Amino acid sequence: MSNVRDLMAATADDIVLQLAEMSKEFPNWTIKLVDSFAPYQAVRDDTEPMMLGARSCAGLRALLEKTDVAGLAALREHMTVRGFEVEFDGSSLTVKAALDGAGVPRAVKITCKARGSDGGRLWFWTHWGEPLAEAGDITGAEVALVGLLAARP
C-alpha cells in the first residue's frame, strides 16, 4: 500500500490513537507524524541520538522494537566472548554460568525497558526486577552480570 493510501485509509483519530499508544510503549522516544516520505517518525535525544522513519505505524513499531533490543544483542556478544552460555529470544537475554560446586547452575534473564526514575531512558533489568545498567553502558552491564554470576564460596 502506498504512503498516501495508507494515510488516507486511516482516520486522523486512528492515527493519533496509534501514535499515543506507541508513545506509551516506547517512552524514551518522541513519536510524531511529519510531512515526509517516511511520515511516521520516532526521535530519541539520548546519549546516542537517533531518528527512525517509516511509511506506516506498523513499520515504525517494528523499527522501534528492533532498536530497543539492539543493546541486548550487543550484551549477548560481550557475554559470549567471556565464555558464558547465552540465549537470546529477541526480547530477552538469558546468561548462564557454569555449574557451581554443588551442581546448581546460575542464570540471569535480562530485558531492556524504560526506567521511569531515569526519565524513561532504556536500562537493562534482571528477571527479579532490579536495574542492572543503562542500556548504552554495555561494559557496565557486562561487569554487573559477571559479578552476579560469580561462583559463591
Side-chain angles (χ1 to χ4, degrees), residues 39-58:
Y40 293 89
Q41 290 191 354
V43 178
R44 181 177 68 192
D45 292 322
D46 201 15
T47 53
E48 296 178 33
M50 183 181 294
M51 183 174 78
L52 303 173
R55 290 192 221 175
S56 69
C57 214

Side-chain angles (χ1 to χ4, degrees), residues 18 21-22 25-26 54 56-66:
Q18 289 175 1
E21 287 174 4
M22 276 200 300
E25 191 175 341
F26 301 97
S56 69
C57 214
L60 183 59
R61 179 180 302 282
L63 288 173
L64 286 164
E65 288 170 353
K66 287 179 184 175

Side-chain angles (χ1 to χ4, degrees), residues 9-152:
T11 68
D13 289 340
D14 290 339
I15 293 170
V16 169
L17 181 62
Q18 289 175 1
L19 295 178
E21 287 174 4
M22 276 200 300
S23 291
K24 288 178 189 172
E25 191 175 341
F26 301 97
N28 54 319
W29 292 88
T30 301
I31 298 174
K32 58 189 174 181
L33 189 64
V34 297
D35 186 20
S36 166
F37 69 95
Y40 293 89
Q41 290 191 354
V43 178
R44 181 177 68 192
D45 292 322
D46 201 15
T47 53
E48 296 178 33
M50 183 181 294
M51 183 174 78
L52 303 173
R55 290 192 221 175
S56 69
C57 214
L60 183 59
R61 179 180 302 282
L63 288 173
L64 286 164
E65 288 170 353
K66 287 179 184 175
T67 302
D68 281 354
V69 298
L72 288 172
L75 184 56
R76 174 188 62 191
E77 296 305 316
H78 280 249
M79 297 308 290
T80 300
V81 167
R82 282 187 170 263
F84 289 91
E85 182 182 337
V86 183
E87 295 174 7
F88 183 54
D89 68 8
S91 64
S92 67
L93 185 71
T94 302
V95 182
K96 298 177 183 178
L99 297 176
D100 65 15
V104 178
R106 292 175 312 284
V108 179
K109 185 174 183 177
I110 304 298
T111 56
C112 187
K113 61 182 179 179
R115 184 175 186 183
S117 65
D118 192 20
R121 294 166 68 108
L122 287 178
W123 275 67
F124 294 119
W125 295 82
T126 64
H127 63 275
W128 56 86
E130 295 293 322
L132 191 64
E134 190 173 345
D137 184 9
I138 303 300
T139 302
E142 177 184 2
V143 169
L145 272 171
V146 169
L148 286 172
L149 294 167
R152 306 285 187 242

